Amino acid sequence: TVGPQSIVVVGGGHAGGAIALSLRENGATGDIVIVGEEPVAPYERPALSKEMLLAQVDAPVPLASPERWPERGIALRLATKVAAIDRTHRCVLLEDDSALPYDVLILATGGTARSISGSLEAGAFTLRTVADAESLRSRARISRSALILGGGLIGLEVAASLRQAGLEVDLVGADRQVAARSFPRVASDWIADAHVKAGVRLHLGSRVTALRRAEGGIEAQLANGQHLVSDLVILGLGIEPNSRLAADAGLPCNGGILVDEDYRTLGDRRIFAIGDIAERSAIDGVRPSRDESWSHARRSAAIAARAILALPPEPEEAPWFWTSQFGHMIQVAGTTDTRLTAVRRGPGVMLYLDGNRLAGIACLDTPRDFLAGRRAIASGQGVDVARAADPATDLRKCFFTHMAPHAGVMS
Ligand code: FAD
């Protein structure tokens, strides 16, 4: 056999599905079982807040066609929840008390949408699964107004989709900057402008203190004393990582499950954690962090699959993220730390430099520049700043490989 005899993946979301496929693509011959709580085969989530709410598609993109799982010898145990991990006997316990043995265990349990006390009872929606998107979409069809709590990317995407579907939309965000956790200032401003232009009412630097059912809908009370009544309330308050299984099994956790650069848990060499749940240990002095993105779900799966099969590591890639709202594509890659030097390249691109090296890029509707930037960040290329600042110059021609030593802030 190539690789472990039996591999169990807990969680049939994006990362869980991707690692099973990646293990097979890289030659693994042992048994692979995915145990997933959702009743559907692994799929990608981005469409849930975009195309599905806009009624452009009926279902999200599946990770593979239904035949491909059995063809690849990947067993799917859907609508099944793992209740516990028994590290001594190397098995996972399912809710019906049956046990599933493993040689290698992969935790890809993602997160659960956060709510505030009393909000779900008052009829508020959250959005994490295809089932959530279906019920939200049916309710939106019979609603005239919506209130979104949370100025992060999911809240903003839902606000944009519902506004495009013709609803009156209010969005309440605690930070003065939208999407502040994921995006640099310039990208947040692009998004906020698009919302304001489209007629979304943004209430930033504000909080909802209580939600209750009221005549004519759901009433939200804001910390500033204002009251808003809407037909529909959606919570976009981020996720709580599903790390309970790991913590109960004694694996070191810190919100997420602590892993090394191969996504191996710090407490057990046979157990890996990937996707939203993985919290990478301090690398190069950067504090441990989780990356909740489509690209990280794929990349962490690919890196861990190669580590499990003792193959050479994946080539470097800069972390990246995108959102699409009101027909605009906003993409960010690498580091966009405020300590870096920001250089504007026309109205739709911001470059972030560490010395003369490109460390990050933010793009508005400029996918070619984004791709060129992502590649340059991964290969550590230097930038000719004067040329790069001119949007008429092809960005690919503004990089150089042999750079002089620099004393960058991030090194
Ligand atoms: P998930 O995909 O959440 O999968 C975890 C799975 O584990 C779930 O199916 C869960 O039911 C299951 N599970 C949990 N506990 C157990 C258990 N005990 N037993 C069995 N199964 C269990 N990222 C981007 O980069 N760009 C975007 O535009 C974007 N849009 C998004 C829109 C929405 C609405 C959402 C929700 C996310 C979006 N993301 C986007 C983020 C991206 O989808 C996530 O980062 C990615 O899904 C993480 O994959 P994962 O496998 O770690 O977690």
Side-chain angles (χ1 to χ4, degrees):
T1 46
V2 177
Q5 284 280 357
S6 100
I7 300 174
V8 172
V9 182
V10 185
H14 190 168
I19 196 166
L21 293 166
S22 178
L23 282 161
R24 281 287 185 252
E25 271 152 30
N26 284 297
T29 54
D31 294 338
I32 303 179
V33 183
I34 299 179
V35 186
E37 193 179 359
E38 287 181 72
V40 281
Y43 60 92
E44 300 183 2
R45 296 187 196 273
L48 303 183
S49 47
K50 308 177 189 74
E51 294 87 345
M52 264 192 85
L53 287 190
L54 286 167
Q56 291 168 347
V57 298
D58 254 347
V61 183
L63 237 64
S65 60
E67 324 77 70
R68 191 143 159 239
W69 302 104
E71 268 168 27
R72 296 289 159 113
I74 299 166
L76 297 181
R77 294 196 58 171
L78 304 177
T80 306
K81 191 169 178 183
V82 169
I85 303 167
D86 180 346
R87 284 169 57 198
T88 313
H89 299 101
R90 291 215 305 261
C91 63
V92 295
L93 303 173
L94 307 184
E95 278 193 318
D96 63 5
D97 279 343
S98 61
L100 206 56
Y102 65 79
D103 292 317
V104 164
L105 178 65
I106 298 153
L107 302 174
T109 47
T112 304
R114 259 188 215 123
S115 58
I116 51 175
S117 112
S119 56
L120 302 179
E121 294 78 355
F125 284 74
T126 55
L127 179 57
R128 181 76 190 173
T129 65
V130 65
D132 295 339
E134 281 164 357
S135 32
L136 175 54
R137 186 165 70 172
S138 327
R139 180 58 80 86
R141 283 197 178 122
I142 52 163
S143 301
R144 273 174 308 181
S145 59
L147 168 65
I148 286 100
L149 270 55
L153 281 166
I154 305 266
L156 291 158
E157 289 180 358
V158 170
S161 300
L162 295 183
R163 183 73 192 127
Q164 282 179 278
L167 279 75
E168 288 287 318
V169 177
D170 287 275
L171 181 145
V172 178
D175 285 321
R176 295 221 162 262
Q177 183 184 337
V178 298
R181 199 165 57 95
S182 326
F183 279 175
R185 180 91 220 186
V186 67
S188 299
D189 290 346
W190 290 330
I191 296 173
D193 284 353
H195 279 258
V196 171
K197 273 195 196 118
V200 173
R201 292 183 289 259
L202 297 178
H203 309 262
L204 301 177
S206 191
R207 276 176 198 281
V208 168
T209 52
L211 279 177
R212 63 176 190 90
R213 280 186 200 276
E215 208 172 310
I218 302 174
E219 185 182 66
Q221 189 179 332
L222 272 58
N224 64 8
Q226 209 182 337
H227 291 258
L228 295 169
V229 178
S230 318
D231 295 338
L232 175 60
V233 173
I234 303 109
L235 310 178
L237 303 172
I239 58 165
E240 282 305 334
N242 291 328
S243 52
R244 189 61 193 266
L245 274 181
D248 286 351
L251 295 169
C253 293
N254 174 36
I257 304 169
L258 292 175
V259 294
D260 66 12
E261 64 275 13
D262 287 333
Y263 292 89
R264 202 184 288 271
T265 59
L266 299 190
D268 192 325
R269 291 193 56 76
R270 290 178 179 271
I271 307 184
F272 289 74
I274 56 171
D276 283 8
I277 188 70
E279 188 154 335
R280 294 249 257 175
S281 343
I283 297 170
D284 300 336
V286 180
R287 65 189 163 80
S289 64
R290 292 186 306 105
D291 179 347
E292 296 170 14
S293 70
W294 179 95
S295 62
H296 178 252
R298 281 166 57 115
R299 183 162 168 79
S300 59
I303 293 175
R306 295 185 73 81
I308 290 167
L309 298 173
L311 294 170
E314 283 274 289
E316 282 297 315
E317 189 185 282
W320 61 280
F321 199 87
W322 86 96
T323 179
S324 68
Q325 299 178 31
F326 296 113
H328 294 293
M329 175 65 90
I330 294 120
Q331 298 164 296
V332 175
T335 321
T336 54
D337 197 285
T338 47
R339 288 174 298 166
L340 297 166
T341 311
V343 176
R344 203 175 261 283
R345 173 177 157 83
V349 179
M350 192 71 98
L351 304 169
Y352 297 84
L353 305 183
D354 180 12
N356 64 5
R357 191 178 61 85
L358 185 68
I361 186 167
C363 292
L364 170 69
D365 299 326
T366 45
R368 280 164 65 107
D369 278 7
F370 183 69
L371 191 58
R374 245 180 76 194
R375 290 190 176 142
I377 296 164
S379 53
Q381 285 182 302
V383 193
D384 179 336
V385 179
R387 278 161 60 78
D390 175 6
T393 312
D394 185 339
L395 187 58
R396 288 172 303 180
K397 304 211 168 102
C398 301
F399 299 119
F400 53 92
T401 311
H402 303 290
M403 43 176 195
H406 70 280
V409 288
M410 309 299 285
S411 49

